[in-house]
Amino acid sequence: MIWNPEIETMPCLALEKLQSERLQKLADYVYARVPMYRQRMDAAGLKPSDIGGIHDLHKLPFTKKIDLRDNYPFGLFAVPMDQVTRVHASSGTTGKPTVVGYTQNDIEMWAEVCARCFAMSGAKPGEMFQNAYGYGLFTGGLGMHYGAERFGCTVIPISGGNTARQIMLLQDFQTAVMACTPSYALTLADEILRAGIDPKSLKVRTFILGAEPWTEEMRTELEAKLGTHAVNIYGLSEIIGPGVSNECVEAKAGMHIAEDHFLTEILNPATGEPVADGEVGEIVFTTLTKEAMPLLRYRTGDLCSLNREKCICGRTHARMSRILGRTDDMLIIRGVNVFPSQVEAALVGQTHFAPHYALVVTREGHLDAIEVQIEVQDGFYRELGEGRFADANDDAVRHLCARARKALHEVLGINAEVTLLAPGKAPRSEGGKLKRVFDRRK
Ligand code: ADP
Ligand code: ZN
C-alpha cells in the first residue's frame, strides 16, 4: 500500500519542479524571517531571487549543529512563539540540548510523512501499534504516535523500557506493529524466547526500527527469532524527527526519503562538494516546507549513500542506504545521542576531577552500556592515602562516583557507570589525535 501515491510515485521531473518552487519560496521565507540566514546570505552577496530552483541549492549557506547551539533556545524560529505549537529537543554537543519547534502545519506534515512510513513498513490501518519509542522531549515517541493515528492504527503509547510489560501487551492486545530501537527489539525477542513464549502465538508482524545504527545481521536475527519482518526508519529532530525516510517492505533495500519535504544532498564531508549516487558521503537536508524552524542545507553528520534507481515498490523518491558512520564523534547509546564533549561539560570544574577521562562503550546482550573513567586529582589521591584509592567501597570514592553519575545523568539523560583513575592514568594526547572513546560494541 502506498499512503500518498500522487506524491510518492510522482515522476522525477514533476518532483524536481515541485522542489524548485518550494526552494524559491523557502529562500524568501528564511531571508525575511531568520536573522542568521539573512546575515549569511548578505555576507555571501546572495539575494533570495538568486535562487531560481534546486540547481541553485549549492549557493545557499550550510547549517550546522553549532548554529542551533549558538541560537539556543529559539533563535532560529521563523514564526512568533504564539504560532509554535510544540517544541522538542535532542542532545546537543554540550550540556544544552538542541531545541526544535513546530507550527500546527509542521505537526500535520510530520504526521503525513510518518503515515507514509507505516504504509512503507507494511502496516495496515486498523492494526494495533505498540509504540516503544520514548515519549517526551525526544521526537521518537510523539512523532510515531501522530503518524500512526493519521495512518489509522490503534496506538498503544507504552513508551520505552519495562520489557515484561511490553511482552504482556504484545500478548494481550495482540499487537501487530511495533516501533523501537533495533537493539531493544533484539532484547525483547530474547526475553520472549527465554520466557518460553511461542512467537507464533503473537500477532506482531512488523517492526519499525530506528534512532540508532544497525545491520543486516541484526535484521536477519530478529526476523528469524520472531518470524516477523523488520524495516529501517531514519530521522533527526533538526529536520522533523522520525519519518525523514523509511524502507519499503517490498525491497527492504534503502530508505525512501520524503523528498517533497526534505531536499537531499550527499556531500564529501571534507570539501562540501557533492559525491556521485552510490558513493558514501554526508547526508545534508534542506527542509522545503517547515514553518517554525526551516533549515538550509543541514549537515547531519550521518554518512550514507543515495540510490535514485527505480524501486520495485513503485515509489519514485530516492533511497538512502543505512547509516554507515558519523563525521563527528557522536555516539548513540540506547538510542540517545551522546557527545564526548557533553561528558566533559558535566565533569569540568567539579572538585577532585582532573580534566582527563575515557569513555568505554560496550554491549551487554543487546543493550549498550557506557562507562566513564575519570582521573582524580593528586589531592584526592593523597587525601585517601596510597593503596586505599582502588577500594570502591571507600566512602570518599563512592561519594565521588555518585556525584559524577548524577552530573552525567543530568547532562546525558542516561545512566553511566563511573570508575576513578589514579592521576596520570587517563589517555593523553601523544602528538596525534587523542583517543578517549573506546567503542567496543563492534
Ligand atoms: P531520533 O529521534 O531519530 O533519535 P535525534 O535527533 O535524537 O533523533 O537523533 C538523530 C540521529 O540518530 C541521526 O542523525 C542518526 O545519527 C541517528 N539515527 C536515527 N535513525 C537512524 C537509523 N535508522 N539508523 C542509523 N542512525 C539513525
Ligand atoms: Zn521501494
Side-chain angles (χ1 to χ4, degrees):
M1 169 197 179
I2 297 181
W3 177 251
N4 188 338
E6 196 194 321
I7 292 285
E8 290 176 86
T9 65
M10 202 173 213
C12 292
L13 278 178
L15 180 61
E16 285 177 10
K17 186 162 168 280
L18 178 70
Q19 291 174 325
S20 283
E21 287 163 11
R22 289 182 169 173
L23 187 66
Q24 279 177 295
K25 274 201 203 131
L26 176 71
D28 279 331
Y29 186 84
V30 297
Y31 189 82
R33 292 170 177 249
V34 184
M36 181 185 82
Y37 285 132
R38 176 192 285 264
Q39 281 154 19
R40 289 201 182 163
M41 287 169 70
D42 281 344
L46 189 67
K47 293 188 296 298
S49 57
D50 294 334
I51 305 301
I54 53 175
H55 52 276
D56 290 322
L57 176 62
H58 66 97
K59 295 180 182 164
L60 289 167
F62 290 121
T63 311
K64 297 192 170 157
K65 205 169 180 100
I66 192 172
D67 297 319
L68 278 78
R69 187 175 83 198
D70 290 347
N71 290 282
Y72 176 86
F74 308 136
L76 292 182
F77 285 12
V79 296
M81 283 313 279
D82 63 359
Q83 288 172 40
V84 177
T85 305
R86 199 194 297 162
V87 293
H88 277 285
S90 72
S91 313
T93 48
T94 63
K96 295 286 188 193
T98 297
V99 181
V100 296
Y102 304 77
T103 63
Q104 192 55 41
N105 285 336
D106 294 337
I107 299 277
E108 305 286 335
M109 179 271 273
W110 192 12
E112 153 74 21
V113 295
C114 284
R116 293 182 198 172
C117 294
F118 278 86
M120 282 192 263
S121 304
K124 305 216 165 37
E127 286 182 332
M128 296 297 285
F129 166 58
Q130 188 160 327
N131 191 6
Y133 277 125
Y135 281 69
L137 280 177
F138 173 64
T139 51
L142 282 169
M144 294 302 275
H145 182 107
Y146 278 65
E149 286 187 352
R150 172 70 56 92
F151 181 70
C153 279
T154 306
V155 185
I156 311 167
I158 185 167
S159 196
N162 201 338
T163 306
R165 199 155 64 122
Q166 300 278 359
I167 295 174
M168 181 178 77
L169 298 196
L170 276 174
Q171 292 181 298
D172 297 350
F173 291 5
Q174 295 284 288
T175 301
V177 185
M178 180 148 189
C180 56
T181 59
S183 51
Y184 189 67
L186 282 167
T187 302
L188 201 65
D190 285 350
E191 199 47 40
I192 288 169
L193 298 178
R194 204 194 54 80
I197 297 164
D198 178 4
K200 288 199 197 72
S201 69
L202 301 174
K203 271 243 177 70
V204 64
R205 282 185 313 109
T206 305
F207 275 87
I208 309 177
L209 306 177
E212 65 187 15
W214 56 304
T215 59
E216 274 320 302
E217 289 71 35
M218 289 168 78
R219 165 149 49 206
T220 309
E221 184 182 339
L222 182 76
E223 292 184 340
K225 278 185 170 158
L226 293 185
T228 60
H229 70 86
V231 295
N232 200 359
I233 183 168
Y234 168 86
L236 63 166
S237 5
E238 292 89 329
I239 298 308
I240 192 79
V244 171
S245 66
N246 199 102
E247 274 177 332
C248 62
V249 64
E250 292 88 343
K252 284 192 194 167
M255 301 179 274
H256 289 285
I257 301 163
E259 286 189 283
D260 52 327
H261 296 292
F262 314 120
L263 189 57
T264 307
E265 300 170 272
I266 308 272
L267 304 179
N268 175 326
T271 64
E273 292 298 316
V275 305
D277 286 355
E279 273 176 33
V280 175
E282 179 180 1
I283 191 158
V284 172
F285 294 107
T286 298
T287 63
L288 289 175
T289 54
K290 226 162 58 155
E291 293 177 342
M293 205 184 90
L295 293 182
L296 300 181
R297 307 185 79 200
Y298 183 71
R299 305 283 298 248
T300 62
D302 291 323
L303 296 169
C304 65
S305 63
L306 209 62
N307 175 0
R308 292 183 196 275
E309 281 161 28
K310 218 170 150 193
C311 184
I312 50 167
C313 72
R315 291 179 183 83
T316 49
H317 293 196
R319 281 174 282 170
M320 56 187 273
S321 71
R322 286 185 183 282
I323 302 300
L324 304 168
R326 297 270 316 162
T327 60
D328 59 16
D329 53 3
M330 183 175 96
L331 297 160
I332 301 185
I333 295 167
R334 281 174 251 144
V336 176
N337 304 348
V338 171
F339 294 91
S341 54
Q342 288 179 296
V343 171
E344 205 160 318
L347 300 175
V348 284
Q350 295 218 17
T351 39
H352 296 315
F353 290 138
H356 303 290
Y357 62 91
L359 296 183
V360 183
V361 188
T362 51
R363 183 161 283 161
E364 289 160 13
H366 296 295
L367 282 190
D368 302 330
I370 180 167
E371 179 188 343
V372 180
Q373 304 177 336
I374 315 164
E375 191 175 306
V376 295
Q377 282 165 334
D378 263 343
F380 181 73
Y381 200 59
R382 265 199 306 276
E383 257 171 49
L384 280 179
E386 293 288 337
R388 287 179 56 224
F389 171 73
D391 187 358
N393 292 323
D394 192 292
D395 269 351
V397 171
R398 261 212 314 265
H399 179 77
L400 201 57
C401 288
R403 179 150 64 79
R405 267 199 305 274
K406 184 161 171 285
L408 288 165
H409 188 270
E410 272 166 19
V411 170
L412 306 179
I414 56 171
N415 289 316
E417 191 58 43
V418 171
T419 43
L420 301 184
L421 299 175
K425 294 293 186 219
R428 298 284 201 279
S429 173
E430 284 153 18
K433 194 169 153 56
L434 172 59
K435 184 164 171 59
R436 51 164 55 121
V437 177
F438 301 88
D439 195 341
R440 306 212 170 113
R441 288 177 293 188
K442 286 152 207 155

